[in-house]
Amino acid sequence: MELPKAYNPHEVEDKIYSEWESKGYFHAEPILDKNPYSIVIPPPNITGILHMGHALNNTIQDILIRFKRMQGFGAEWMPGTDHAGIATQNVVERRLAKEGIKRHNLGREKFVDEVWKWRDEYGSTIIRQLKKLGCSCDWQRTRFTMDEGLSEAVLEVFVRLYDKGLIYKGNYIINWCPRCQTALSDEESQHKDVDGMLYHIKYPIKDPSGGVDKHVVIATTRPETMLGDVAIAVNPKDDRYKDLKNKTLVLPILNRELKIIYDGLVDMKFGTGALKVTPAHDPVDFGLSLKHGLEQINVMNDDATINSLGGDYEGMDRFEAREAIIEDLKERGLFIKSEPHRHAVGHCYRCHTMVEPRLSLQWFVKMKPLAQPAIEAVRSGKIKFYPERWTKVYLDWMENIRDWCISRQIWWGHRIPVYYCKKCSSLRPKDQILRSASGLPQNDGNIGLGAIISKSRPDKCPKCGSTELEQDPDVLDTWFSSWLWPFSTFGWPKESKDLEYFYPTDSLVTAQEIIFFWVARMIMAGLEFRHDIPFKNVYIHGTVRDITGTKMSKSLGNVIDPLDMIQKYGTDALRFSIISITTQGQDVFLSESKFELGRNFANKIWNASRFIMMNLKPEEISVDLCVFYKGAKLTLPEKWILSRLYSTLGYVGKCLDEFKFNEAANAIYEFVWHEFCDWYIEIVKPTINEKNSQVILYKILEKSLRMLHPFMPFITEEIWQKLPRSKGVTGESIMVQPWPHIQSEMISKKDEDDMKRLIELITSIRNMRAVWNIEPRTKTSVVINIHDSEVEKLLADNVDLVKSLARIADLKYGAHPKPESSAVSIVGNMEVYMPLEGLIDFEKEKLRLVKEEARMQAEMKSLTTRLNDNNFTSRAPREVVEKQEERKAELAIQIKKMSENLKEIGV
RNA sequence: GGGCAGCUAGCUCAGUUGGUUAGAGCGUUGCGUUCACAUCGCAGAGGUCACAGGUUCGAAUCCUGUGCUGCCCACCA
């Protein structure tokens, strides 16, 4: 069968993909005689569209899973999406706002219905795009974090953690996003440097005698929070404030009396050394309030406007209030100065609004007990990070882990499985009933009276029988469902064959941004709920950036859309390009032109295949390669290309096992293009109809396609389908073919070295031709002077090869003197002469040779010093010394010959 | 404040556990269209491996320090 003249990816990709899918190749079932290999997708969120980060991430996973599938593993790649609570709610809210509808007017239930509708319509965009990328995910198993099964897992986990005393409700300073109007976890608050101001403000000292203008100066970046001040803190060692003891200060404007407290926490060097204490709006101050028994005054509403405790400023936005307060302080003569101050401030990771630290009643997970086994799992090497340096990042975070705020004041998500009995909530604390699903009474001072922790809504209060129950209005952090992904997707909490077979999974491929959000928490969840690690390897790939090093983002407009690139260059080109430039653990700097690499390679593969298939005679090729190899007499190029194939194959397998995807891709590229196409195919042309050529061309092509398939699935499939059938080449899809077996008896270092020597010889002859402007059609005569019998034999065996590739009419070799007027080139032990009667320009030749000789002399000098050094010869490995001695001997001959040549042309 | 990366050819980057003459792609120079491929072929030019010390027979590679660049973490208001 012949291939069309040009490869058109768009014509075949969709067809090939749907065929794979319809034949069920992506699906894996637990099969006992196969070893499992499973990976789970880092679930993209349903508001997402495919970006380059996804393209890189999923190409890597697809390479792994296709590789393992071909190797015969029960290869399962579990796909799915997460519900992205805040992000999705924001998207739907914005959509409704366009129609003039507000979330709160719609009501909770109707709003959630709207989100589901939106999800049904748009939530699978990313899935379709992953299919465009060629991902061989097991779509039959596609999961969503809000699916029934996964939701069940979430509730189960909440109740279990509660029963274990690891979930509590408490009043703490949390990160509050005033725009999304919800609490955020520490990880969801991203620190960014902002240029702010440091304001110096006088706080008057209350003087019983009255009238004297004494004050303490404090420095603050958020003057508006002074409305919630309850004290001034200074360091006990600070001499400046020694005599403040027993004094009282007055809060400007509100005129509240403030205590002075002494605490070593206060940094004497910062600002004035006096710290205003605002327990409801700052974590440090909150800590001080607990320690010193101070009141906590929250002065803000949910939208960060000032509340009724803020006096005249009520209703103002926090930044408005800041300005107004500064103005008022100026009027009263209490404002000293403001100076520019750059500092890190938390921002909402979804909407980038400045986070307001704020006292709030939220649900938390106690993390320390969960972290301990997760630390151990990584320390002991049961879980390995690639590259290894992420281990330290992980451990540092884990060892300093803080409790996880899991409640969100939004509507889209898993609702917290806690119900409050209206009647019981009026009972005194000692009578309160807190009943979990397991029936064990629990107690928690903050959880509220009459609370019932239950996976399903109870009919009535177990204590008083009242049916007036209200569910907690909050939903759980999206990551509270994602952290269960590796087992909830396989059916947990129900035991299943899938779970038993595929868990723990093998490798997790993800981006560094997500180590804390997701990777660390999955490890904790896996160990807590399955008593086993969720995966063995964590491969962290780099961030995709544009060519200036900026992270790609829609708002910056520097995005290179993978779907555009697929449209322009084809999926395989996209995949191969991005993989070949992604070094393990390094960020990827992308520009559109980089995709040409993959496109050109695809083109090369196509044309080489087309050429081979045009010339193949199906009756010649139906042999087993091993049988053929034993029976046939092979030429050096034939032995060489087989050796190179299997060397490459071994290297590629090793690289994939070590997550060195770019090295694998580049090894294949080098082999296919620069060895197979550039040399072997050129060599084989004159004898292409012979049996040996036929078999070897066919086998190399066929095995190269299989080796390449994980990287470039579509083009390899398209060619495979048109390939003549033979032993080992069935009509079935290439994706279910076995990974080629390494025939190590065909790997020969000597053959590879010999061929390398011939290639060097041919290259140098071509070089002489180029230098002397000999037209390609003109055949020259060449004389090669050789003293080494082995090299002479090598040349004798391959004389036709050299003659044809170097376009030589007349080749003499052996012990020959230099012919008159010839150009010279020295290659290893060979002295190559090209007679150029009348053509030779001695000045030009002189320059060339002098330069060459100087290079040789320099090398000789350094070699001699090294070899004369006793330390070197005695300490270096024998191999190295031998090699260098060989090189020296060769170099000595070369220099001798070179100087003879130089003498001859009068130097 | 703590930590992590990067600095190699004009550009973008590889460089295995230290060991011959440091590589690729793009760009560039010369030649080439007799039919697999111009998304191509052949040949070339181009590098003090950021800097300074150190370890070693030997350093792009290991150690220390410096300088830029980028990233992550962090309760100096």
Side-chain angles (χ1 to χ4, degrees):
Chain A
M1 223 183 295
E2 271 194 30
L3 294 178
K5 188 145 174 79
Y7 174 58
N8 186 340
H10 312 299
E11 276 176 16
V12 299
E13 286 180 0
D14 290 345
K15 189 193 83 204
I16 288 175
Y17 194 90
S18 51
E19 199 154 318
W20 285 337
E21 201 177 354
S22 69
K23 290 206 171 149
Y25 292 147
F26 300 162
H27 183 66
E29 285 287 342
I31 298 171
L32 288 179
D33 58 355
K34 270 189 172 186
N35 285 321
Y37 182 90
S38 57
I39 55 181
V40 292
I41 208 164
N45 83 59
I46 49 171
T47 66
I49 51 161
L50 193 81
H51 55 64
M52 274 301 170
H54 289 126
L56 171 63
N57 177 258
N58 290 291
T59 299
I60 290 172
Q61 293 179 78
D62 196 46
I63 289 171
L64 279 178
I65 206 78
R66 284 180 189 271
F67 174 55
K68 292 294 173 181
R69 195 181 287 122
M70 289 176 85
Q71 283 190 323
F73 287 85
E76 170 63 27
W77 184 10
M78 170 72 76
T81 48
D82 86 32
H83 64 279
I86 298 172
T88 310
Q89 173 154 330
N90 286 348
V91 167
V92 177
E93 264 185 298
R94 267 202 301 276
R95 223 173 124 81
L96 290 172
K98 275 187 198 151
E99 299 165 34
I101 304 170
K102 281 193 175 154
R103 166 163 72 104
H104 286 278
N105 296 342
L106 206 58
R108 183 164 191 147
E109 263 179 54
K110 280 190 179 152
F111 178 77
V112 171
D113 283 348
E114 285 297 317
V115 183
W116 275 107
K117 267 191 238 163
W118 182 90
R119 183 259 174 184
D120 290 341
E121 201 171 337
Y122 302 102
S124 58
T125 306
I126 192 107
I127 301 277
R128 279 200 310 280
Q129 292 171 330
L130 289 173
K131 292 183 178 184
K132 283 295 282 182
L133 196 62
C135 296
S136 58
C137 299
D138 187 354
W139 301 112
Q140 293 177 41
R141 294 186 192 265
T142 307
R143 299 288 190 265
F144 177 50
T145 46
M146 295 273 282
D147 282 349
E148 223 175 284
L150 276 72
S151 300
E152 159 90 13
V154 167
L155 300 182
E156 175 76 23
V157 159
F158 187 95
V159 171
R160 283 204 199 180
L161 288 176
Y162 182 79
D163 283 352
K164 233 184 152 177
L166 294 181
I167 279 187
Y168 64 92
K169 193 178 189 183
N171 245 314
Y172 293 98
I173 298 277
I174 44 83
N175 304 289
W176 182 265
C177 174
R179 205 220 60 84
C180 302
Q181 300 203 12
T182 179
L184 301 172
S185 66
D186 293 334
E187 293 67 45
E188 287 169 322
S189 158
Q190 296 180 329
H191 289 259
K192 275 189 243 169
D193 273 353
V194 291
D195 289 311
M197 287 289 187
L198 189 61
Y199 302 90
H200 292 245
I201 300 166
K202 291 180 186 173
Y203 278 36
I205 298 169
K206 192 172 178 185
D207 186 350
S209 58
V212 187
D213 182 27
K214 276 193 177 165
H215 53 254
V216 172
V217 179
I218 60 91
T220 178
T221 54
R222 295 191 295 155
E224 68 279 10
T225 63
M226 70 185 285
L227 300 170
D229 282 2
V230 296
I232 294 294
V234 295
N235 195 304
K237 289 181 193 153
D238 198 333
D239 291 342
R240 288 173 292 182
Y241 302 111
K242 259 188 178 158
D243 45 353
L244 277 181
K245 249 175 211 156
N246 306 321
K247 293 261 166 75
T248 306
L249 296 169
V250 180
L251 177 64
I253 301 171
L254 291 185
N255 296 320
R256 183 158 57 230
E257 291 194 356
L258 304 178
K259 286 211 274 186
I260 300 282
I261 59 170
Y262 290 86
D263 199 294
L265 217 68
V266 180
D267 182 351
M268 287 157 53
K269 283 183 285 266
F270 187 89
T272 60
L275 168 70
K276 72 193 235 341
V277 182
T278 323
H281 292 278
D282 186 280
V284 176
D285 299 7
F286 179 72
L288 289 172
S289 79
L290 295 182
K291 204 163 153 190
H292 298 271
L294 303 169
E295 199 187 348
Q296 297 146 358
I297 305 172
N298 186 340
V299 298
M300 283 189 205
N301 298 310
D302 288 355
D303 60 356
T305 56
I306 305 298
N307 67 20
S308 58
L309 297 174
D312 293 346
Y313 305 98
E314 181 178 358
M316 284 189 192
D317 175 75
R318 52 184 166 161
F319 300 116
E320 247 179 281
R322 180 178 299 177
E323 296 303 316
I325 287 171
I326 294 299
E327 282 313 303
D328 291 348
L329 288 171
K330 278 181 183 166
E331 260 172 42
R332 289 165 210 228
L334 295 172
F335 179 83
I336 298 177
K337 62 174 178 179
S338 63
E339 49 194 31
H341 181 66
R342 197 171 167 78
H343 60 144
V345 179
H347 291 73
C348 172
Y349 87 135
R350 286 302 182 196
C351 73
H352 311 294
T353 302
M354 214 181 263
V355 158
E356 192 63 35
R358 184 180 182 230
L359 190 64
S360 177
L361 185 61
Q362 302 287 345
W363 292 91
F364 296 86
V365 179
K366 259 183 219 163
M367 297 306 275
K368 282 234 148 64
L370 296 175
Q372 213 42 53
I375 289 171
E376 194 41 43
V378 169
R379 276 231 183 94
S380 67
K382 277 177 83 178
I383 298 175
K384 285 201 177 76
F385 280 85
Y386 297 83
E388 202 199 337
R389 73 180 127 92
W390 295 109
T391 310
K392 191 172 175 294
V393 176
Y394 167 90
L395 288 174
D396 284 350
W397 187 76
M398 279 299 226
E399 277 155 13
N400 299 301
I401 198 162
R402 287 186 288 168
D403 287 355
W404 177 14
C405 175
I406 51 169
S407 45
R408 298 290 176 273
Q409 287 64 52
I410 55 172
W411 289 347
W412 174 240
H414 300 102
R415 203 155 161 186
I416 290 184
V418 176
Y419 303 83
Y420 303 97
C421 168
K422 280 192 178 172
K423 271 196 179 167
C424 292
S425 52
S426 59
L427 295 175
R428 287 174 303 148
K430 71 178 168 88
D431 298 325
Q432 77 185 24
I433 298 167
L434 303 159
R435 190 167 297 281
S436 78
S438 64
L440 293 168
Q442 297 282 325
N443 209 324
D444 181 326
N446 269 311
I447 202 162
L449 299 177
I452 305 147
I453 317 297
S454 171
K455 280 171 74 177
S456 58
R457 189 188 184 88
D459 297 333
K460 53 183 200 265
C461 173
K463 174 73 178 175
C464 72
S466 166
T467 53
E468 276 188 84
L469 302 176
E470 252 177 40
Q471 188 170 2
D472 195 299
D474 290 353
V475 301
L476 291 160
D477 183 2
T478 303
W479 299 101
F480 195 85
S481 46
S482 309
W483 75 326
L484 313 175
W485 188 258
F487 49 90
S488 65
T489 50
F490 286 115
W492 191 91
K494 291 187 196 74
E495 280 304 320
S496 70
K497 276 190 178 164
D498 285 348
L499 193 56
E500 199 185 318
Y501 183 71
F502 292 119
Y503 191 94
T505 68
D506 291 86
S507 298
L508 178 78
V509 178
T510 192
Q512 63 200 53
E513 299 101 81
I514 228 130
I515 295 178
F516 306 139
F517 275 118
W518 194 50
V519 180
R521 288 173 181 158
M522 278 192 289
I523 297 175
M524 292 187 273
L527 289 163
E528 173 68 19
F529 302 111
R530 285 290 304 166
H531 311 295
D532 200 355
I533 52 171
F535 32 71
K536 296 160 197 144
N537 306 305
V538 181
Y539 176 71
I540 306 285
H541 61 247
T543 308
V544 179
R545 300 174 186 283
D546 74 4
I547 207 70
T548 66
T550 321
K551 192 168 165 176
M552 287 195 182
S553 81
K554 244 187 293 179
S555 54
L556 290 173
N558 63 347
V559 184
I560 300 177
D561 183 348
L563 296 167
D564 285 353
M565 296 303 106
I566 286 176
Q567 187 57 37
K568 266 180 134 155
Y569 300 97
T571 303
D572 291 327
L574 170 90
R575 291 171 57 123
F576 194 86
S577 303
I578 199 161
I579 285 303
S580 73
I581 60 175
T582 304
T583 315
Q584 188 179 77
Q586 281 324 119
D587 285 353
V588 187
F589 295 82
L590 219 52
S591 63
E592 191 179 323
S593 62
K594 294 199 171 179
F595 294 102
E596 289 173 6
L597 172 94
R599 181 201 56 186
N600 295 354
F601 187 44
N603 180 257
K604 191 75 186 176
I605 293 161
W606 184 260
N607 281 297
S609 305
R610 195 161 67 90
F611 171 73
I612 293 168
M613 284 158 71
M614 272 170 8
N615 289 288
L616 278 187
K617 290 177 277 182
E619 68 276 12
E620 296 279 11
I621 57 174
S622 198
V623 290
D624 178 278
L625 181 61
C626 291
V627 175
F628 166 82
Y629 184 81
K630 277 175 201 144
K633 193 174 180 313
L634 297 179
T635 63
L636 175 63
E638 287 162 351
K639 286 188 283 181
W640 167 74
I641 199 69
L642 285 170
S643 178
R644 289 299 307 138
L645 169 73
Y646 286 114
S647 298
T648 306
L649 183 65
Y651 186 68
V652 167
K654 181 172 164 267
C655 288
L656 290 181
D657 286 337
E658 292 169 1
F659 302 101
K660 293 176 177 171
F661 301 99
N662 67 321
E663 287 188 44
N666 294 334
I668 297 177
Y669 180 93
E670 176 69 19
F671 170 74
V672 170
W673 196 320
H674 296 306
E675 296 180 327
F676 185 48
C677 292
D678 286 353
W679 287 95
Y680 185 72
I681 292 183
E682 290 310 314
I683 290 168
V684 87
K685 277 177 180 174
T687 61
I688 197 158
N689 288 321
E690 288 172 15
K691 173 85 179 175
N692 284 8
S693 307
Q694 290 277 314
V695 171
I696 289 174
L697 273 177
Y698 179 68
K699 292 292 179 186
I700 300 275
L701 173 62
E702 174 266 295
K703 287 169 201 298
S704 299
L705 288 173
R706 282 194 269 160
M707 177 163 71
L708 194 52
H709 177 258
F711 300 84
M712 302 179 106
F714 292 109
I715 194 172
T716 49
E717 178 75 295
E718 180 66 6
I719 298 169
W720 183 267
Q721 290 305 327
K722 304 211 159 135
L723 217 52
R725 308 281 166 246
S726 157
K727 199 167 162 40
V729 180
T730 66
E732 263 219 83
S733 166
I734 192 171
M735 72 172 280
V736 291
Q737 301 298 327
W739 185 253
H741 182 253
I742 297 174
Q743 307 295 342
S744 37
E745 75 278 10
M746 298 189 199
I747 298 177
S748 156
K749 181 81 171 48
K750 180 168 188 312
D751 290 341
E752 294 192 14
D753 286 347
D754 280 352
M755 189 65 197
K756 197 174 156 199
R757 179 143 284 201
L758 288 184
I759 287 174
E760 274 169 12
L761 171 66
I762 292 161
T763 302
S764 96
I765 296 171
R766 285 173 175 172
N767 180 6
M768 283 195 277
R769 296 178 59 106
V771 168
W772 296 107
N773 290 323
I774 295 166
E775 284 192 28
R777 70 193 56 176
T778 315
K779 292 197 171 182
T780 57
S781 56
V782 166
V783 176
I784 305 175
N785 187 16
I786 310 174
H787 302 286
D788 182 322
S789 60
E790 256 180 63
V791 179
E792 189 169 341
K793 178 160 188 312
L794 174 66
L795 201 54
D797 290 343
N798 296 283
V799 63
D800 291 339
L801 174 72
V802 175
K803 280 173 79 171
S804 94
L805 291 179
R807 304 196 67 77
I808 300 169
D810 177 26
L811 176 64
K812 290 196 188 78
Y813 58 92
H816 284 283
K818 182 184 173 187
E820 285 284 301
S821 308
S822 48
V824 62
S825 177
I826 290 162
V827 186
N829 288 340
M830 292 174 275
E831 202 175 348
V832 184
Y833 301 115
M834 189 181 286
L836 291 166
E837 287 147 53
L839 282 172
I840 196 154
D841 173 341
F842 282 104
E843 285 310 307
K844 196 170 164 188
E845 178 77 349
K846 212 188 279 180
L847 273 174
R848 201 170 68 87
L849 297 187
V850 166
K851 197 176 157 197
E852 186 68 10
E853 204 234 359
R855 200 193 54 74
M856 288 178 186
Q857 292 288 8
E859 196 191 334
M860 189 60 168
K861 199 178 155 193
S862 74
L863 261 179
T864 312
T865 4
R866 204 175 307 157
L867 286 166
N868 285 343
D869 186 341
N870 238 342
N871 280 322
F872 171 67
T873 45
S874 60
R875 293 194 201 189
R878 211 177 53 229
E879 281 175 17
V880 175
V881 179
E882 273 171 18
K883 256 188 174 178
Q884 302 213 357
E885 268 164 359
E886 260 172 55
R887 173 71 190 152
K888 194 188 167 189
E890 194 176 276
L891 208 55
I893 297 171
Q894 290 184 3
I895 289 172
K896 194 177 144 229
K897 288 174 180 172
M898 188 56 89
S899 46
E900 278 167 20
N901 284 303
L902 283 169
K903 206 184 289 168
E904 197 178 309
I905 51 176
V907 179

